[in-house]
């Protein structure tokens, strides 16, 4: 008789658990992809996919850096720069990969991201969520870029862990629809 499986407690504990990030928190892993995307309205974003050290996936982590009218969105530009800073990337280029335009310099870079779960109501009234990047940090030191540059102790991520809760999206499409009808 041939053995097909040998019990592995670590794998057994993961059985039935989601392999996707679904909670507010600090996550350390690597960037699987950084895609340049454009919304239906024309706003431009960099969309990150990550895999944490414990195998969880985070997809559709969008950072909008240009508004639909083409003007810069400073918060998004600052976030892209912070991600570049904590990963040590000095320049981002654009490369076609399949159907996507990617920033190849960020692929497989180690990163820490503090993500906030944002609860949303879909057009059909059902509940869902998306994850927003609040703060990138060094996966080694747990320091934000500012803490690193100022030679400070890592405090920001711990503060976020203690004080950040899930966020309810404001002005969802459903609320807008209900307000108009």
């Amino acid at each position: 008789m041939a053995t097909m499986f040998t019990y592995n407690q670590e794998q057994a504990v993961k059985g039935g658990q989601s392999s996707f990030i679904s909670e507010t928190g600090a996550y350390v892993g690597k960037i699987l992809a950084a895609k340049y995307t454009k919304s239906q309205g024309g706003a431009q974003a960099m969309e990150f996919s990550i895999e944490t050290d414990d195998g969880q996936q985070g997809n559709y982590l969008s950072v909008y850096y240009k508004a639909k009218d083409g003007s810069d969105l400073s918060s998004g530009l600052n976030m892209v720069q912070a991600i570049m800073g904590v990963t040590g990337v000095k320049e981002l280029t654009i490369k076609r990969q399949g159907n996507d335009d990617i920033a190849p310099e960020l692929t497989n870079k180690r990163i820490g991201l503090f993500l906030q779960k944002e609860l949303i109501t879909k057009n059909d009234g059902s509940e869902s969520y998306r994850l927003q990047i609040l703060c990138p940090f060094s996966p080694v030191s747990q320091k934000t870029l500012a803490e690193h540059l100022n030679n400070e102790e890592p405090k920001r991520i711990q503060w976020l862990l203690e004080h950040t809760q899930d966020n309810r999206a404001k002005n969802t499409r459903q609320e807008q629809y209900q307000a108009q009808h």
Side-chain angles (χ1 to χ4, degrees):
M1 190 165 39
T3 301
M4 296 295 290
F5 290 94
T6 302
Y7 179 71
N8 178 308
Q9 186 170 331
E10 185 178 333
Q11 290 175 330
V13 169
K14 292 179 182 177
Q17 295 180 357
S18 173
S19 61
F20 293 98
I21 298 171
S22 61
E23 299 300 326
T24 294
Y27 297 90
V28 172
K30 68 179 177 179
I31 298 171
L32 297 176
K35 293 190 252 183
Y36 295 99
T37 63
K38 190 179 277 194
S39 73
Q40 290 179 337
Q44 295 177 43
M46 183 163 286
E47 182 183 284
F48 295 92
S49 294
I50 65 166
E51 181 177 1
T52 65
D53 290 347
D54 62 358
Q56 288 186 299
Q57 300 257 335
N59 298 317
Y60 310 110
L61 304 172
S62 296
V63 176
Y64 284 88
Y65 59 87
K66 284 230 184 259
K68 62 183 176 182
D69 65 4
S71 62
D72 288 344
L73 297 173
S74 61
S75 62
L77 288 172
N78 293 344
M79 184 64 70
V80 170
Q81 291 292 327
I83 290 169
M84 290 172 67
V86 298
T87 58
V89 172
K90 300 294 182 203
E91 179 180 73
L92 295 179
T93 61
I94 188 167
K95 177 183 174 187
R96 193 75 176 164
Q97 185 176 58
N99 294 328
D100 299 317
D101 291 326
I102 67 161
E105 297 81 4
L106 291 172
T107 302
N108 291 319
K109 288 290 187 182
R110 301 255 320 133
I111 193 164
L113 292 175
F114 190 93
L115 304 175
Q116 183 178 35
K117 182 178 184 177
E118 186 175 45
L119 306 170
I120 55 174
T121 304
K122 295 182 178 181
N123 289 337
D124 65 5
S126 65
E127 295 289 316
S128 188
Y129 70 91
R130 63 181 162 232
L131 295 167
Q132 302 287 84
I133 300 172
L134 287 191
C135 187
F137 60 93
S138 165
V140 176
S141 70
Q142 307 291 303
K143 291 182 180 186
T144 64
L145 185 60
E147 289 168 339
H148 172 75
L149 294 174
N150 294 326
N151 202 26
E152 297 172 354
E153 292 297 313
K155 295 178 187 167
R156 177 79 176 141
I157 299 306
Q158 186 60 42
W159 186 91
L160 287 170
L161 283 168
E162 293 169 2
H163 295 92
T164 306
Q165 298 176 354
D166 294 350
N167 188 23
R168 166 63 64 186
K170 296 177 181 80
N171 296 326
T172 63
R173 289 185 184 134
Q174 180 69 19
E175 292 168 342
Q176 291 169 352
Y177 176 82
Q178 290 173 341
Q180 294 171 353
H181 294 89

